[in-house]
Amino acid sequence: MAGQAVVIGAGGGIGAALAEALEAQGRAVLRLGRGATPALDLLDEGSIAAAAAHAASRGAPALVIDATGFLHGAGFMPEKSWRELDAAHLAHAFALNAIGPALLMKHFLPLLPRTGTPVFATLSARVGSIADNRLGGWYAYRASKAALNQLVRTAAIELRRRAPNAVCIALHPGTVDTPLSAPFARTGLEVRPPAEAAADLLRVIAGLTPADSGTFLDHKAAPIPW
Ligand SMILES: NC(=O)c1ccc[n+]([C@@H]2O[C@H](COP(=O)([O-])OP(=O)(O)OC[C@H]3O[C@@H](n4cnc5c(N)ncnc54)[C@H](OP(=O)(O)O)[C@@H]3O)[C@@H](O)[C@H]2O)c1
């Protein structure tokens, strides 16, 4: 796959590794995020629109990866019980994990070229799978990622009508050693380095076909039940 690649959340653990891996493949990479110029903040649609316009000015991106996400921070930790449910925490998780990526789809999906098999991939999480939820807990993260998955599926249906060759997909990166996972790393849990996760994700992306649009795949290209 040739052409410009855009990595949103390029300052994050997996986002930075993705940008580096793409550059190592010789791809032109536009790194977007709060620390980039122009700055892209998921909580500010104007900044998303401006960043998309900037990306478009460099040519249609054949690949857009959204590597943003929120699990803990801003005074919030994943809930262990319904007793910890908090409206502000839920709203923050939905703003960053579902509404922000939805606005990314609004502004970046129209930029995908009509030729080839362009890809918009957003990093979801296996714990967002309703069918796979056996442990409970992590209400805000699980529910906001489930909402993200539904938004991806819905956008993929619209995208197929407009650009039948394009792919809009949710990907699970596996458990990766980043600030997001750091407080939860336990012995026995398979925590992989970001570079390995990035290589896996790019392998999955390289193998995508239009038939994969609207699906939810893990880092080994195995489908995850919704
Ligand atoms: N690590 C794992 O084990 C794991 C497992 C499953 C799924 N995931 C998913 O993979 C994705 C990447 O996670 P990661 O592990 O790389 O986490 P990370 O290192 O914490 O990176 C999170 C990214 O989200 C960005 N972000 C947060 N708030 C933002 C905002 N308001 N506007 C724009 N960007 C914002 C951060 O930008 P700044 O650099 O500006 O802070 C950063 O680039 C997430 O969607 C996560 O849910 C990760």
Side-chain angles (χ1 to χ4, degrees), residues 40-51:
L40 182 157
D41 187 333
L42 292 176
L43 302 176
D44 173 3
E45 184 176 355
S47 79
I48 294 172

Side-chain angles (χ1 to χ4, degrees), residues 9 12-14 34 41-42 67-69 123-124 141 145 174 176 178 180:
I14 300 173
R34 285 183 293 187
D41 187 333
L42 292 176
T68 63
L123 296 189
S124 184
Y141 189 66
K145 289 293 192 181
V176 187
T178 69
L180 182 137

Side-chain angles (χ1 to χ4, degrees), residues 86-101:
D86 176 83
H89 182 182
L90 286 160
H92 191 68
F94 274 80
L96 290 179
N97 290 338
I99 299 168

Side-chain angles (χ1 to χ4, degrees), residues 10 15 20 34 37-38 45 48 74 91 102 110 117-118 134 139-140 163 186-187 221:
E20 277 162 34
R34 285 183 293 187
T37 307
E45 184 176 355
I48 294 172
T117 306
R134 281 178 273 267
Y139 286 81
R186 290 170 298 174
T187 326

Side-chain angles (χ1 to χ4, degrees), residues 6-204:
V6 176
V7 178
I8 304 163
I14 300 173
L18 283 165
E20 277 162 34
L22 284 162
E23 279 168 356
Q25 291 177 2
R27 300 281 297 264
V29 179
L30 176 62
R31 298 172 183 238
L32 294 176
R34 285 183 293 187
T37 307
L40 182 157
D41 187 333
L42 292 176
L43 302 176
D44 173 3
E45 184 176 355
S47 79
I48 294 172
H54 176 65
S57 74
R58 295 162 45 110
L63 173 62
V64 179
I65 308 180
D66 164 29
T68 63
F70 162 80
L71 173 58
H72 61 88
F76 304 123
M77 287 299 280
E79 314 89 336
K80 293 193 176 118
S81 159
W82 61 56
R83 288 186 300 277
E84 295 164 30
L85 280 170
D86 176 83
H89 182 182
L90 286 160
H92 191 68
F94 274 80
L96 290 179
N97 290 338
I99 299 168
L103 296 173
L104 294 179
M105 289 185 257
K106 173 181 173 181
H107 290 281
F108 283 88
L109 286 177
L111 305 186
L112 298 181
R114 297 268 168 183
T115 53
T117 306
V119 173
F120 178 100
T122 189
L123 296 189
S124 184
R126 188 183 297 277
V127 297
S129 165
I130 293 171
D132 191 59
N133 186 353
R134 281 178 273 267
L135 288 176
W138 292 28
Y139 286 81
Y141 189 66
R142 284 185 189 280
S144 59
K145 289 293 192 181
L148 170 64
N149 291 346
Q150 179 67 283
L151 289 159
V152 166
R153 177 76 174 193
T154 305
I157 290 168
E158 185 174 346
L159 181 67
R160 182 159 293 153
R161 291 190 204 114
R162 297 161 54 112
N165 289 333
V167 174
C168 178
I169 193 163
L171 297 177
H172 168 66
T175 306
V176 187
D177 186 9
T178 69
L180 182 137
S181 65
F184 314 101
R186 290 170 298 174
T187 326
L189 199 69
E190 189 208 355
V191 182
R192 288 145 57 247
E196 194 178 312
D200 289 345
L201 290 166
L202 293 181
R203 207 172 302 117
V204 172

